[in-house]
Amino acid sequence: MTPTARKTILCPTCRKLISIDEARCPYCGTVKPGSWMHNNPVSRLFNNPAQFIKGIIYVNAAMFALTILISFQSLRLSGNPLHFLSPSLLSLRLLGATGTFAIDNLHRWWTLLSASYLHGGILHILFNMMAFRQISVLIIREYGIHRMFSIYTLGGIFGFWISYLRGTPDTIGSSAAICSLIGAALYYGKSRGGVYGQAIYRQIGGWVLMIFLFGFMIPGIDNWGHGGGIAGGILLGLLFGYHERKKETRLHRTLARLCVLATVAILLWAIGSGLYYYTALH
Ligand SMILES: [Zn+2]
């Protein structure tokens, strides 16, 4: 007798090997683990957290390259290292910088999300991506990949919204979103307590101190965006909960998938409309 070839998959929740036509995962009870709901291209993105983080970094790099290309004519190689390979303000506005200019004049509310994927210089993007790699590992470990991406996306929007309310004309950068991960880490450390929680709280608290120290020393840094991001991250951490308190639920997974769809749609819109206006202007 030949063994029947049954298709096996990894359970989307517990990652154990199960049969695709299982009604419920025998290990964790996830309903219909083989359904399309759990096995579409968007949900599969979350199957490999390390790859997902790389993907976000690549998207940031691609958006940066595009702003550099658009502002090629005005590309400056000034003495200030912070200005090395700086995209022009026009290229950033075209591709979705946020603030009172974009929102009050152009009603581009979607820039609250797109601005997180734009950077003002090579050091700006390098520092942010290095910080993102570090903090995302911690947040994925304690909250899971889905909650991490929702905190990143929604916390970034919240940070830029606060910055907009404070009247910032133009703002960009992933630091508001990264600050929301930092806020979620602060909440985790404080809420968990114990030796480990306190160590996290102290270490991340040190980061926050540095962020504001640099923020007030270096001109042009969006402190309201950073502060708003941190506050948003604390609130989202409290709202979502972390592994030790609450496992990732279907709601968390659905929200993260919606954040991916919104990010992809908004960035494609930003690129499409940006290139359209760029060619119209030239
Ligand atoms: Zn399972």
Side-chain angles (χ1 to χ4, degrees):
M1 210 167 89
T2 49
T4 333
R6 290 185 82 190
K7 213 178 161 205
T8 53
I9 55 161
L10 289 180
C11 167
T13 312
C14 67
R15 322 293 315 146
K16 291 203 169 79
L17 201 63
I18 55 166
S19 162
I20 195 163
D21 39 43
E22 212 82 67
R24 261 172 186 277
C25 170
Y27 301 100
C28 70
T30 294
V31 181
K32 290 186 193 150
S35 70
W36 186 83
M37 181 68 192
H38 292 300
N39 297 282
N40 56 69
V42 175
S43 48
R44 272 201 295 268
L45 284 177
F46 293 97
N47 287 353
N48 187 337
Q51 208 58 42
F52 187 84
I53 295 303
K54 263 192 199 160
I56 293 176
I57 294 174
Y58 289 153
V59 172
N60 276 281
M63 292 299 286
F64 183 67
L66 199 56
T67 54
I68 290 290
L69 270 176
I70 288 182
S71 48
F72 195 69
Q73 286 146 330
S74 55
L75 193 148
R76 292 159 293 167
L77 291 169
S78 68
N80 186 341
L82 285 167
H83 285 159
F84 176 63
L85 283 183
S86 306
S88 64
L89 179 61
L90 174 69
S91 74
L92 294 170
R93 282 178 170 176
L94 283 171
L95 287 182
T98 196
T100 54
F101 178 82
I103 294 173
D104 289 344
N105 299 337
L106 310 169
H107 310 292
R108 296 172 116 197
W109 282 95
W110 51 267
T111 57
L112 289 174
L113 196 157
S114 57
S116 280
Y117 291 84
L118 296 171
H119 289 87
I122 194 88
L123 290 182
H124 189 206
I125 186 168
L126 275 179
F127 281 141
N128 275 350
M129 292 301 104
M130 272 157 46
F132 173 59
R133 274 182 77 139
Q134 272 209 312
I135 189 75
S136 64
V137 171
L138 172 72
I139 300 301
I140 290 172
R141 191 171 64 217
E142 307 305 347
Y143 287 86
I145 180 84
H146 297 92
R147 280 180 284 197
M148 187 286 289
F149 191 63
S150 297
I151 293 169
Y152 186 81
T153 307
L154 302 175
I157 291 173
F158 186 77
F160 281 142
W161 181 59
I162 297 293
S163 183
Y164 159 74
L165 292 179
R166 299 302 306 179
T168 310
D170 290 284
T171 183
I172 45 153
S174 55
S175 33
I178 294 167
C179 279
S180 70
L181 297 182
I182 288 172
L186 269 185
Y187 167 73
Y188 167 77
K190 190 77 186 164
S191 160
R192 185 194 184 275
V195 177
Y196 179 64
Q198 278 172 11
I200 296 282
Y201 185 72
R202 271 199 304 272
Q203 193 199 345
I204 302 297
W207 284 28
V208 172
L209 217 65
M210 291 287 283
I211 288 168
F212 286 107
L213 215 66
F214 275 113
F216 290 110
M217 272 170 15
I218 301 171
I221 287 191
D222 185 0
N223 287 304
W224 285 108
H226 289 171
I230 291 171
I234 292 171
L235 286 173
L236 290 165
L238 175 75
L239 192 70
F240 293 159
Y242 48 89
H243 281 322
E244 280 172 67
R245 285 270 174 88
K246 191 177 184 181
K247 285 194 162 184
E248 278 201 319
T249 65
R250 193 169 161 175
L251 189 70
H252 295 142
R253 287 193 290 274
T254 306
L255 186 62
R257 289 164 193 167
L258 289 175
C259 284
V260 166
L261 289 175
T263 303
V264 170
I266 285 174
L267 288 181
L268 287 177
W269 177 255
I271 294 168
S273 63
L275 293 179
Y276 171 79
Y277 287 119
Y278 176 73
T279 45
L281 283 169
H282 287 77

